[in-house]
Amino acid sequence: MKKIALLLLISFAFSCNGTAQGDKKEAKVYDVSKTDAEWKAALSDQEYYVLRKAGTERPFSSPLNKEYSPGTFVCAACETPLFESAHKFDSGTGWPSFDRAIKGNVDYAVDYNLGSARTEEHCGTCGGHLGHVFNDGPSETTGKRHCVNGVALNFIPKKDE
């Protein structure tokens, strides 16, 4: 009798189908949408690798890592304003780092590519991969470190008025 009960319990456990398995999250449709071929034609090889294939540039390779002039960092693919220079800091990691993004212009997802959960960030207009967000930023502000690939950004200096 115990064997039958155990067998029923095991078969019940394997036949259960949780609702999470059936939930498929619909992919966001971005305002700027292009085919893969169009992105390849519009972006440099390095921009395409980072923005469209979620690659990572070499640390300390971007001139934007040391750009602290007043202005705005925009998406290299669609020019959406993403970060303000006032929120940039030197994290010592070799990538441009910010303690916050411009509200509403950056989307977030969970990335398991390295075996653990990380918060990945994308341009909210075209979906381009920007980098990741970590909880080791300046404690006197947000505590966040938006670690961004410089090749995913363009810098627009603030105009003197």
Side-chain angles (χ1 to χ4, degrees):
M1 185 65 149
K2 288 182 181 178
K3 288 182 180 179
I4 294 174
L6 182 61
L7 185 60
L8 286 172
L9 181 63
I10 290 171
S11 65
F12 175 73
F14 282 108
S15 68
C16 288
N17 188 9
T19 58
Q21 294 172 345
D23 291 343
K24 297 283 185 197
K25 199 172 188 181
E26 288 189 32
K28 178 177 177 178
V29 176
Y30 290 97
D31 292 343
V32 174
S33 183
K34 297 181 181 186
T35 66
D36 195 53
E38 290 171 324
W39 282 122
K40 276 187 175 180
L43 301 170
S44 72
D45 289 345
Q46 187 69 8
E47 288 171 335
Y48 176 81
Y49 169 70
V50 170
L51 287 160
R52 306 317 306 171
K53 296 299 179 186
T56 302
E57 69 186 359
R58 288 180 299 112
F60 302 102
S61 65
S62 173
L64 294 182
N65 190 39
K66 296 295 183 183
E67 178 60 67
Y68 291 100
S69 304
T72 305
F73 293 84
V74 300
C75 177
C78 71
E79 298 294 313
T80 295
L82 301 171
F83 304 96
E84 294 293 342
S85 60
H87 301 128
K88 190 170 189 292
F89 66 96
D90 185 358
S91 66
T93 62
W95 290 280
S97 297
F98 305 85
D99 69 358
R100 70 196 78 173
I102 294 175
K103 191 174 173 108
N105 290 359
V106 175
D107 288 341
Y108 304 93
V110 179
D111 165 10
Y112 294 99
N113 291 339
L114 294 181
S116 63
R118 299 184 300 166
T119 302
E120 184 178 12
E121 56 189 339
H122 303 268
C123 173
T125 302
C126 72
H129 170 78
L130 303 173
H132 293 86
V133 184
F134 302 97
N135 291 318
D136 60 2
S139 59
E140 63 275 4
T141 61
T142 65
K144 301 288 184 192
R145 173 173 55 97
H146 295 255
C147 187
V148 182
N149 290 283
V151 74
L153 304 172
N154 288 328
F155 180 68
I156 311 243
K158 184 177 180 181
K159 294 180 182 172
D160 292 332
E161 294 178 29

